[in-house]
Amino acid sequence: MKHVHYGWVVCITCTLLLFITMGTVSNGFSVYLPYIMDERGLTHAQTSSLVTLRCLTAFLAMLTIGWYYKKVSLRLGVSIAACCAGLSYLLYASARTYPLFCVGAAVSGLSYGFGSMIPVSLLMNRWFDRHRALALSICATGSGIATIVLPPVTTALVEHLTMGTAFRIEGAAIFLLAALIFAVLRSDPAEKGLAPCGHQEAPAGQETPARKAHGDIPRAAFVLLAFASLFMGAVANPGFVHLSVLFSGEGFSAGAVAAIISGTGLMLTLGKLLYGETTDHVGGCRSTLLFGAILVAGHVLCCLAFLQSIPLSVLTAVCMGVGYPIATIGPSVWANDLASPRQYPTVLRRLQVIYAGGALVFATVPGLLADRFGDYLPAYILFSCLVLVSLLLIALSYRAGRKVRTEHKA
Protein backbone atom coordinates (compact mmCIF):
# COMPACT_ATOMS: atom_id res chain seq x y z
CA MET A 1 0.00 0.00 0.00
CA LYS A 2 1.29 3.45 -0.91
CA HIS A 3 2.59 5.41 2.05
CA VAL A 4 0.21 8.15 3.25
CA HIS A 5 1.95 11.44 3.88
CA TYR A 6 1.69 12.61 7.49
CA GLY A 7 0.25 15.87 6.21
CA TRP A 8 -3.06 14.09 5.71
CA VAL A 9 -2.95 12.99 9.36
CA VAL A 10 -2.45 16.64 10.31
CA CYS A 11 -5.35 17.55 8.00
CA ILE A 12 -7.72 15.13 9.77
CA THR A 13 -6.47 16.38 13.14
CA CYS A 14 -7.25 19.96 12.10
CA THR A 15 -10.71 18.77 11.06
CA LEU A 16 -11.15 17.54 14.62
CA LEU A 17 -9.80 20.86 15.90
CA LEU A 18 -12.43 22.84 13.97
CA PHE A 19 -15.08 20.39 15.17
CA ILE A 20 -14.24 21.72 18.64
CA THR A 21 -13.24 25.36 18.22
CA MET A 22 -15.91 26.27 15.66
CA GLY A 23 -18.42 23.42 15.89
CA THR A 24 -19.00 23.08 19.62
CA VAL A 25 -18.58 26.72 20.68
CA SER A 26 -20.71 28.15 17.86
CA ASN A 27 -22.89 25.77 15.85
CA GLY A 28 -23.29 23.16 18.59
CA PHE A 29 -23.94 25.74 21.28
CA SER A 30 -26.83 27.19 19.27
CA VAL A 31 -28.91 24.11 20.14
CA TYR A 32 -28.73 25.08 23.81
CA LEU A 33 -30.12 28.59 23.33
CA PRO A 34 -33.85 27.74 23.61
CA TYR A 35 -33.16 25.62 26.71
CA ILE A 36 -31.10 28.39 28.31
CA MET A 37 -33.97 30.84 27.79
CA ASP A 38 -36.58 28.42 29.13
CA GLU A 39 -34.67 26.99 32.09
CA ARG A 40 -32.69 30.04 33.20
CA GLY A 41 -35.17 32.78 32.23
CA LEU A 42 -32.89 34.76 29.94
CA THR A 43 -34.47 37.23 27.50
CA HIS A 44 -33.93 37.14 23.75
CA ALA A 45 -31.48 40.03 24.03
CA GLN A 46 -29.54 38.38 26.89
CA THR A 47 -29.31 35.13 24.95
CA SER A 48 -28.07 36.92 21.84
CA SER A 49 -25.59 38.83 23.98
CA LEU A 50 -23.87 35.52 24.81
CA VAL A 51 -23.12 35.21 21.11
CA THR A 52 -21.96 38.84 21.12
CA LEU A 53 -19.60 38.23 24.02
CA ARG A 54 -18.18 35.12 22.39
CA CYS A 55 -17.64 37.09 19.19
CA LEU A 56 -16.00 39.92 21.14
CA THR A 57 -13.41 37.71 22.80
CA ALA A 58 -12.86 35.85 19.51
CA PHE A 59 -12.26 39.20 17.81
CA LEU A 60 -9.79 40.30 20.48
CA ALA A 61 -8.04 36.93 20.30
CA MET A 62 -7.64 37.27 16.53
CA LEU A 63 -6.18 40.74 16.97
CA THR A 64 -3.48 39.27 19.23
CA ILE A 65 -3.05 35.95 17.42
CA GLY A 66 0.31 36.96 15.94
CA TRP A 67 1.67 37.60 19.45
CA TYR A 68 0.06 34.41 20.76
CA TYR A 69 1.75 32.14 18.22
CA LYS A 70 5.10 33.82 18.76
CA LYS A 71 4.87 32.71 22.40
CA VAL A 72 3.65 29.15 21.76
CA SER A 73 3.90 26.71 18.87
CA LEU A 74 0.94 26.04 16.61
CA ARG A 75 0.63 22.58 18.18
CA LEU A 76 0.46 23.84 21.77
CA GLY A 77 -1.56 26.93 20.87
CA VAL A 78 -4.41 25.10 19.16
CA SER A 79 -4.47 22.48 21.93
CA ILE A 80 -4.93 25.22 24.54
CA ALA A 81 -7.66 26.72 22.37
CA ALA A 82 -9.46 23.37 22.27
CA CYS A 83 -9.23 23.11 26.07
CA CYS A 84 -10.87 26.54 26.35
CA ALA A 85 -13.92 25.09 24.58
CA GLY A 86 -14.12 22.29 27.15
CA LEU A 87 -13.77 24.76 30.01
CA SER A 88 -16.55 26.94 28.60
CA TYR A 89 -18.94 23.96 28.58
CA LEU A 90 -18.14 23.20 32.22
CA LEU A 91 -18.82 26.86 33.08
CA TYR A 92 -22.17 26.68 31.24
CA ALA A 93 -22.99 23.53 33.22
CA SER A 94 -22.51 25.40 36.50
CA ALA A 95 -24.31 28.57 35.40
CA ARG A 96 -27.56 29.44 37.11
CA THR A 97 -27.54 33.16 36.37
CA TYR A 98 -26.73 35.35 33.39
CA PRO A 99 -23.24 36.54 34.57
CA LEU A 100 -21.74 33.04 34.68
CA PHE A 101 -23.11 32.29 31.23
CA CYS A 102 -21.24 35.41 30.12
CA VAL A 103 -17.99 34.04 31.58
CA GLY A 104 -18.50 30.79 29.69
CA ALA A 105 -19.20 32.67 26.46
CA ALA A 106 -16.02 34.74 26.88
CA VAL A 107 -13.89 31.63 27.36
CA SER A 108 -15.48 29.98 24.32
CA GLY A 109 -14.52 33.05 22.29
CA LEU A 110 -10.84 32.44 23.13
CA SER A 111 -11.23 28.95 21.70
CA TYR A 112 -12.75 30.30 18.50
CA GLY A 113 -10.26 33.13 18.10
CA PHE A 114 -7.03 31.22 18.77
CA GLY A 115 -8.04 27.85 17.32
CA SER A 116 -10.04 28.28 14.14
CA MET A 117 -9.29 29.04 10.48
CA ILE A 118 -6.17 31.21 10.88
CA PRO A 119 -3.90 28.58 12.52
CA VAL A 120 -5.44 25.83 10.39
CA SER A 121 -4.70 27.78 7.20
CA LEU A 122 -1.11 28.32 8.37
CA LEU A 123 -0.74 24.62 9.14
CA MET A 124 -2.06 23.62 5.72
CA ASN A 125 0.36 26.06 4.08
CA ARG A 126 3.23 24.44 5.95
CA TRP A 127 2.20 20.83 5.36
CA PHE A 128 0.99 21.04 1.74
CA ASP A 129 2.60 22.31 -1.44
CA ARG A 130 -0.05 20.57 -3.55
CA HIS A 131 -3.67 19.72 -2.75
CA ARG A 132 -3.71 22.65 -0.33
CA ALA A 133 -7.24 23.79 -1.27
CA LEU A 134 -8.56 20.25 -0.89
CA ALA A 135 -6.86 19.87 2.49
CA LEU A 136 -8.27 23.19 3.70
CA SER A 137 -11.76 22.19 2.54
CA ILE A 138 -11.50 18.90 4.43
CA CYS A 139 -10.43 20.75 7.58
CA ALA A 140 -13.34 23.16 7.23
CA THR A 141 -15.82 20.27 7.28
CA GLY A 142 -15.09 19.90 11.00
CA SER A 143 -17.61 22.53 12.01
CA GLY A 144 -20.19 21.01 9.65
CA ILE A 145 -19.69 17.55 11.12
CA ALA A 146 -20.27 19.05 14.56
CA THR A 147 -23.52 20.52 13.28
CA ILE A 148 -24.63 17.07 12.12
CA VAL A 149 -23.62 15.19 15.25
CA LEU A 150 -24.25 17.59 18.12
CA PRO A 151 -27.91 18.72 17.70
CA PRO A 152 -29.50 15.25 18.08
CA VAL A 153 -26.99 14.22 20.75
CA THR A 154 -27.45 17.44 22.72
CA THR A 155 -31.24 17.35 22.39
CA ALA A 156 -31.34 13.72 23.59
CA LEU A 157 -29.06 14.46 26.55
CA VAL A 158 -31.06 17.52 27.63
CA GLU A 159 -34.45 15.86 27.16
CA HIS A 160 -33.51 12.64 28.98
CA LEU A 161 -31.10 14.05 31.58
CA THR A 162 -30.63 17.78 32.28
CA MET A 163 -29.08 20.71 30.47
CA GLY A 164 -26.25 20.90 33.02
CA THR A 165 -25.47 17.20 32.62
CA ALA A 166 -25.41 17.57 28.85
CA PHE A 167 -22.89 20.41 29.14
CA ARG A 168 -20.69 18.34 31.51
CA ILE A 169 -20.68 15.25 29.28
CA GLU A 170 -19.84 17.21 26.16
CA GLY A 171 -17.24 19.29 28.01
CA ALA A 172 -15.45 16.13 29.20
CA ALA A 173 -15.49 14.76 25.66
CA ILE A 174 -13.93 18.00 24.37
CA PHE A 175 -11.02 17.68 26.83
CA LEU A 176 -10.35 14.12 25.64
CA LEU A 177 -10.33 15.26 22.01
CA ALA A 178 -8.00 18.15 22.87
CA ALA A 179 -5.53 15.65 24.36
CA LEU A 180 -5.70 13.61 21.15
CA ILE A 181 -4.99 16.72 19.06
CA PHE A 182 -1.89 17.53 21.12
CA ALA A 183 -0.64 13.95 20.82
CA VAL A 184 -0.99 13.76 17.02
CA LEU A 185 -0.51 17.28 15.63
CA ARG A 186 2.89 18.62 14.58
CA SER A 187 3.54 22.28 13.80
CA ASP A 188 5.88 21.70 10.86
CA PRO A 189 6.88 18.82 8.54
CA ALA A 190 10.48 19.16 9.75
CA GLU A 191 9.39 17.83 13.14
CA LYS A 192 8.69 14.51 11.42
CA GLY A 193 11.70 14.74 9.13
CA LEU A 194 9.44 15.35 6.12
CA ALA A 195 8.99 17.82 3.29
CA PRO A 196 5.51 19.28 2.64
CA CYS A 197 3.05 16.99 0.87
CA GLY A 198 3.50 17.28 -2.89
CA HIS A 199 6.83 19.06 -2.52
CA GLN A 200 9.03 19.02 -5.63
CA GLU A 201 12.46 20.51 -6.05
CA ALA A 202 12.33 23.26 -8.66
CA PRO A 203 15.23 24.37 -10.87
CA ALA A 204 17.15 27.36 -9.57
CA GLY A 205 15.28 30.63 -10.05
CA GLN A 206 11.94 28.88 -10.57
CA GLU A 207 9.03 28.12 -8.26
CA THR A 208 6.97 24.97 -7.92
CA PRO A 209 3.48 25.29 -9.44
CA ALA A 210 1.88 25.50 -6.00
CA ARG A 211 4.09 28.47 -5.11
CA LYS A 212 3.65 30.40 -8.36
CA ALA A 213 3.52 34.05 -7.44
CA HIS A 214 1.50 36.97 -8.72
CA GLY A 215 1.42 40.64 -7.81
CA ASP A 216 0.33 42.17 -4.54
CA ILE A 217 -3.38 42.67 -3.98
CA PRO A 218 -4.62 46.08 -5.21
CA ARG A 219 -5.73 48.40 -2.43
CA ALA A 220 -9.20 48.83 -3.96
CA ALA A 221 -9.66 45.05 -4.16
CA PHE A 222 -8.63 44.61 -0.52
CA VAL A 223 -11.02 47.32 0.68
CA LEU A 224 -13.90 45.68 -1.20
CA LEU A 225 -12.99 42.26 0.22
CA ALA A 226 -12.76 43.78 3.70
CA PHE A 227 -16.35 45.03 3.54
CA ALA A 228 -17.51 41.73 2.02
CA SER A 229 -15.85 39.84 4.89
CA LEU A 230 -17.45 42.21 7.40
CA PHE A 231 -20.94 41.53 6.00
CA MET A 232 -20.29 37.78 5.70
CA GLY A 233 -19.32 37.71 9.36
CA ALA A 234 -22.48 39.62 10.19
CA VAL A 235 -24.58 37.01 8.38
CA ALA A 236 -22.92 33.65 8.82
CA ASN A 237 -22.27 33.52 12.53
CA PRO A 238 -25.40 35.21 13.97
CA GLY A 239 -27.55 33.81 11.15
CA PHE A 240 -26.61 30.21 11.81
CA VAL A 241 -26.61 30.46 15.60
CA HIS A 242 -30.16 31.84 15.65
CA LEU A 243 -31.67 29.20 13.35
CA SER A 244 -32.76 27.14 16.36
CA VAL A 245 -34.65 29.99 18.01
CA LEU A 246 -36.07 31.07 14.65
CA PHE A 247 -37.73 27.70 14.02
CA SER A 248 -38.64 27.00 17.66
CA GLY A 249 -40.23 30.45 17.86
CA GLU A 250 -42.33 29.67 14.78
CA GLY A 251 -43.80 26.55 16.42
CA PHE A 252 -41.47 23.73 15.34
CA SER A 253 -40.91 20.98 17.94
CA ALA A 254 -37.51 20.45 19.60
CA GLY A 255 -36.99 17.30 17.56
CA ALA A 256 -37.83 19.06 14.32
CA VAL A 257 -35.48 21.94 15.15
CA ALA A 258 -32.66 19.49 15.90
CA ALA A 259 -33.32 17.73 12.59
CA ILE A 260 -33.21 21.04 10.69
CA ILE A 261 -29.92 22.05 12.33
CA SER A 262 -28.41 18.61 11.70
CA GLY A 263 -29.61 18.68 8.09
CA THR A 264 -28.03 22.08 7.64
CA GLY A 265 -24.81 20.72 9.12
CA LEU A 266 -24.84 17.74 6.75
CA MET A 267 -25.26 19.99 3.75
CA LEU A 268 -22.64 22.37 5.18
CA THR A 269 -20.14 19.52 5.31
CA LEU A 270 -20.89 18.43 1.76
CA GLY A 271 -21.07 22.06 0.62
CA LYS A 272 -17.54 22.80 1.81
CA LEU A 273 -16.10 19.93 -0.20
CA LEU A 274 -18.23 20.92 -3.19
CA TYR A 275 -17.19 24.56 -2.89
CA GLY A 276 -13.50 23.63 -2.82
CA GLU A 277 -13.86 21.34 -5.83
CA THR A 278 -15.90 23.92 -7.75
CA THR A 279 -13.36 26.62 -6.98
CA ASP A 280 -10.56 24.47 -8.41
CA HIS A 281 -12.52 24.15 -11.67
CA VAL A 282 -14.15 27.57 -12.24
CA GLY A 283 -12.18 29.92 -9.97
CA GLY A 284 -12.90 31.71 -6.70
CA CYS A 285 -15.07 34.49 -8.12
CA ARG A 286 -17.52 32.33 -10.06
CA SER A 287 -17.81 29.70 -7.32
CA THR A 288 -18.44 32.40 -4.69
CA LEU A 289 -21.19 33.99 -6.76
CA LEU A 290 -22.81 30.61 -7.43
CA PHE A 291 -22.79 29.46 -3.82
CA GLY A 292 -23.69 32.96 -2.66
CA ALA A 293 -26.87 32.88 -4.76
CA ILE A 294 -27.79 29.61 -3.03
CA LEU A 295 -27.15 31.25 0.36
CA VAL A 296 -29.45 34.15 -0.52
CA ALA A 297 -32.17 31.65 -1.40
CA GLY A 298 -31.67 29.95 1.96
CA HIS A 299 -32.14 33.16 3.91
CA VAL A 300 -35.23 34.05 1.91
CA LEU A 301 -36.65 30.63 2.78
CA CYS A 302 -35.90 31.30 6.46
CA CYS A 303 -38.32 34.22 6.18
CA LEU A 304 -41.05 31.68 5.36
CA ALA A 305 -40.52 29.64 8.55
CA PHE A 306 -43.88 30.88 9.88
CA LEU A 307 -45.59 28.59 7.33
CA GLN A 308 -44.35 25.58 9.39
CA SER A 309 -43.82 23.65 6.16
CA ILE A 310 -41.59 20.59 6.46
CA PRO A 311 -40.69 20.55 2.72
CA LEU A 312 -39.72 24.23 2.87
CA SER A 313 -37.65 23.65 6.02
CA VAL A 314 -35.79 20.80 4.27
CA LEU A 315 -35.08 23.06 1.30
CA THR A 316 -33.96 25.78 3.73
CA ALA A 317 -31.48 23.40 5.34
CA VAL A 318 -30.10 22.41 1.93
CA CYS A 319 -29.65 25.99 0.70
CA MET A 320 -28.20 27.31 3.96
CA GLY A 321 -25.77 24.41 4.28
CA VAL A 322 -24.57 24.54 0.67
CA GLY A 323 -24.26 28.34 0.72
CA TYR A 324 -22.49 28.92 4.05
CA PRO A 325 -19.01 27.66 2.93
CA ILE A 326 -18.38 30.98 1.15
CA ALA A 327 -18.27 32.60 4.59
CA THR A 328 -15.85 30.16 6.27
CA ILE A 329 -13.59 29.16 3.36
CA GLY A 330 -14.18 32.23 1.20
CA PRO A 331 -11.59 34.57 2.82
CA SER A 332 -8.85 31.95 2.29
CA VAL A 333 -9.89 31.53 -1.35
CA TRP A 334 -10.11 35.28 -2.01
CA ALA A 335 -6.75 35.95 -0.34
CA ASN A 336 -5.13 33.13 -2.32
CA ASP A 337 -6.57 34.43 -5.61
CA LEU A 338 -5.80 38.12 -5.19
CA ALA A 339 -2.76 38.33 -2.89
CA SER A 340 0.81 37.26 -3.55
CA PRO A 341 2.21 34.31 -1.54
CA ARG A 342 4.24 36.84 0.45
CA GLN A 343 1.08 38.75 1.35
CA TYR A 344 -1.16 35.74 1.92
CA PRO A 345 -0.73 35.27 5.72
CA THR A 346 -1.25 38.98 6.41
CA VAL A 347 -4.23 39.38 4.08
CA LEU A 348 -5.84 36.19 5.40
CA ARG A 349 -5.41 37.27 9.02
CA ARG A 350 -6.88 40.72 8.33
CA LEU A 351 -9.89 39.32 6.47
CA GLN A 352 -10.53 36.84 9.28
CA VAL A 353 -10.30 39.59 11.91
CA ILE A 354 -12.73 41.75 9.92
CA TYR A 355 -15.03 38.73 9.53
CA ALA A 356 -14.98 38.29 13.31
CA GLY A 357 -15.70 42.00 13.70
CA GLY A 358 -18.82 41.65 11.57
CA ALA A 359 -19.99 38.74 13.70
CA LEU A 360 -19.34 40.80 16.82
CA VAL A 361 -21.21 43.90 15.65
CA PHE A 362 -24.28 41.97 14.49
CA ALA A 363 -24.41 39.20 17.11
CA THR A 364 -27.03 40.92 19.26
CA VAL A 365 -29.03 42.33 16.34
CA PRO A 366 -31.30 39.26 15.85
CA GLY A 367 -32.30 39.26 19.52
CA LEU A 368 -32.92 43.00 19.56
CA LEU A 369 -35.07 42.75 16.43
CA ALA A 370 -36.95 39.80 17.95
CA ASP A 371 -37.64 41.74 21.15
CA ARG A 372 -38.86 44.68 19.05
CA PHE A 373 -40.97 42.83 16.43
CA GLY A 374 -41.82 39.59 18.24
CA ASP A 375 -39.90 37.12 16.04
CA TYR A 376 -36.67 36.60 14.11
CA LEU A 377 -38.05 37.09 10.57
CA PRO A 378 -36.87 40.74 10.25
CA ALA A 379 -33.32 39.60 11.06
CA TYR A 380 -33.32 37.10 8.20
CA ILE A 381 -34.67 39.71 5.79
CA LEU A 382 -31.68 41.85 6.78
CA PHE A 383 -29.30 38.90 6.34
CA SER A 384 -30.62 38.28 2.81
CA CYS A 385 -29.80 41.86 1.85
CA LEU A 386 -26.32 41.70 3.38
CA VAL A 387 -25.42 38.57 1.41
CA LEU A 388 -26.48 40.28 -1.82
CA VAL A 389 -24.29 43.30 -1.02
CA SER A 390 -21.36 41.01 -0.17
CA LEU A 391 -21.59 39.21 -3.51
CA LEU A 392 -21.53 42.53 -5.36
CA LEU A 393 -18.44 43.64 -3.43
CA ILE A 394 -16.63 40.36 -4.12
CA ALA A 395 -17.36 40.59 -7.84
CA LEU A 396 -16.04 44.17 -7.89
CA SER A 397 -12.89 43.15 -5.96
CA TYR A 398 -12.02 40.47 -8.53
CA ARG A 399 -12.67 42.98 -11.29
CA ALA A 400 -10.28 45.45 -9.64
CA GLY A 401 -7.65 42.72 -9.29
CA ARG A 402 -7.93 41.69 -12.94
CA LYS A 403 -7.77 45.32 -14.09
CA VAL A 404 -4.52 46.00 -12.23
CA ARG A 405 -2.89 42.81 -13.53
CA THR A 406 -3.92 43.62 -17.09
CA GLU A 407 -2.34 47.07 -16.76
CA HIS A 408 0.88 45.54 -15.42
CA LYS A 409 1.07 43.07 -18.30
CA ALA A 410 0.49 45.87 -20.81
Side-chain angles (χ1 to χ4, degrees):
M1 185 177 71
K2 188 177 180 180
H3 177 68
V4 177
H5 193 278
Y6 198 79
W8 293 109
V9 177
V10 173
C11 175
I12 298 302
T13 306
C14 287
T15 304
L16 181 60
L17 173 69
L18 293 185
F19 177 96
I20 295 171
T21 58
M22 293 181 69
T24 63
V25 305
S26 179
N27 302 347
F29 178 68
S30 68
V31 181
Y32 283 101
L33 295 182
Y35 295 110
I36 291 173
M37 283 193 292
D38 290 342
E39 296 189 22
R40 299 294 185 261
L42 273 62
T43 66
H44 290 292
Q46 285 178 324
T47 305
S48 290
S49 72
L50 298 179
V51 180
T52 303
L53 188 53
R54 187 196 73 226
C55 293
L56 174 61
T57 53
F59 179 73
L60 295 175
M62 288 182 181
L63 286 177
T64 60
I65 199 168
W67 170 85
Y68 178 71
Y69 282 108
K70 286 180 181 178
K71 298 295 183 181
V72 297
S73 66
L74 284 170
R75 178 192 182 193
L76 178 59
V78 298
S79 300
I80 293 172
C83 288
C84 286
L87 176 59
S88 71
Y89 267 52
L90 296 185
L91 290 169
Y92 290 140
S94 302
R96 294 293 182 271
T97 59
Y98 174 64
L100 190 52
F101 276 111
C102 290
V103 176
V107 174
S108 73
L110 296 178
S111 178
Y112 193 104
F114 288 134
S116 55
M117 288 302 296
I118 295 175
V120 167
S121 296
L122 295 176
L123 283 165
M124 294 305 99
N125 273 351
R126 291 184 182 183
W127 276 95
F128 290 87
D129 273 354
R130 296 181 184 272
H131 312 297
R132 192 180 301 149
L134 174 62
L136 188 61
S137 296
I138 292 172
C139 294
T141 63
S143 59
I145 294 171
T147 313
I148 300 169
V149 173
L150 292 178
V153 171
T154 298
T155 300
L157 288 173
V158 175
E159 296 289 342
H160 291 89
L161 300 173
T162 65
M163 184 177 69
T165 301
F167 272 127
R168 290 187 187 92
I169 292 173
E170 293 183 3
I174 291 171
F175 277 113
L176 291 176
L177 295 177
L180 177 61
I181 290 170
F182 182 77
V184 174
L185 188 67
R186 294 296 182 271
S187 300
D188 193 273
E191 295 180 19
K192 298 289 288 186
L194 298 171
C197 182
H199 176 74
Q200 293 180 346
E201 294 294 335
Q206 295 184 16
E207 295 178 287
T208 62
R211 300 286 184 181
K212 186 176 180 180
H214 48 73
D216 288 352
I217 185 172
R219 181 180 297 273
F222 176 77
V223 171
L224 291 167
L225 284 182
F227 278 103
S229 297
L230 180 74
F231 294 144
M232 282 295 179
V235 170
N237 199 301
F240 189 92
V241 166
H242 287 88
L243 281 176
S244 59
V245 287
L246 167 70
F247 284 98
S248 63
E250 297 300 332
F252 286 79
S253 67
V257 172
I260 292 169
I261 302 301
S262 292
T264 304
L266 173 61
M267 297 312 302
L268 179 62
T269 303
L270 298 176
K272 287 177 178 178
L273 297 174
L274 184 61
Y275 177 61
E277 187 70 15
T278 303
T279 299
D280 286 337
H281 283 84
V282 304
C285 183
R286 291 180 180 176
S287 63
T288 297
L289 294 178
L290 172 61
F291 282 73
I294 297 172
L295 184 59
V296 172
H299 282 89
V300 171
L301 289 170
C302 283
C303 299
L304 302 178
F306 66 91
L307 297 175
Q308 298 185 14
S309 168
I310 296 301
L312 280 181
S313 65
V314 171
L315 185 59
T316 301
V318 171
C319 290
M320 295 289 276
V322 172
Y324 266 135
I326 67 170
T328 52
I329 308 176
S332 296
V333 170
W334 310 330
N336 185 66
D337 283 351
L338 296 176
S340 65
R342 176 184 62 84
Q343 275 190 318
Y344 175 76
T346 300
V347 173
L348 173 65
R349 183 172 65 250
R350 289 176 179 174
L351 292 181
Q352 289 287 352
V353 169
I354 293 168
Y355 175 93
L360 170 63
V361 171
F362 278 81
T364 312
V365 170
L368 294 174
L369 290 175
D371 285 339
R372 174 66 178 83
F373 295 101
D375 57 40
Y376 287 87
L377 298 183
Y380 283 86
I381 295 174
L382 175 61
F383 292 152
S384 301
C385 296
L386 289 178
V387 176
L388 285 171
V389 173
S390 298
L391 296 178
L392 175 62
L393 294 174
I394 291 165
L396 291 174
S397 70
Y398 273 86
R399 181 182 178 183
R402 285 193 296 267
K403 182 178 179 180
V404 169
R405 286 177 195 162
T406 300
E407 291 173 351
H408 284 172
K409 289 180 180 179

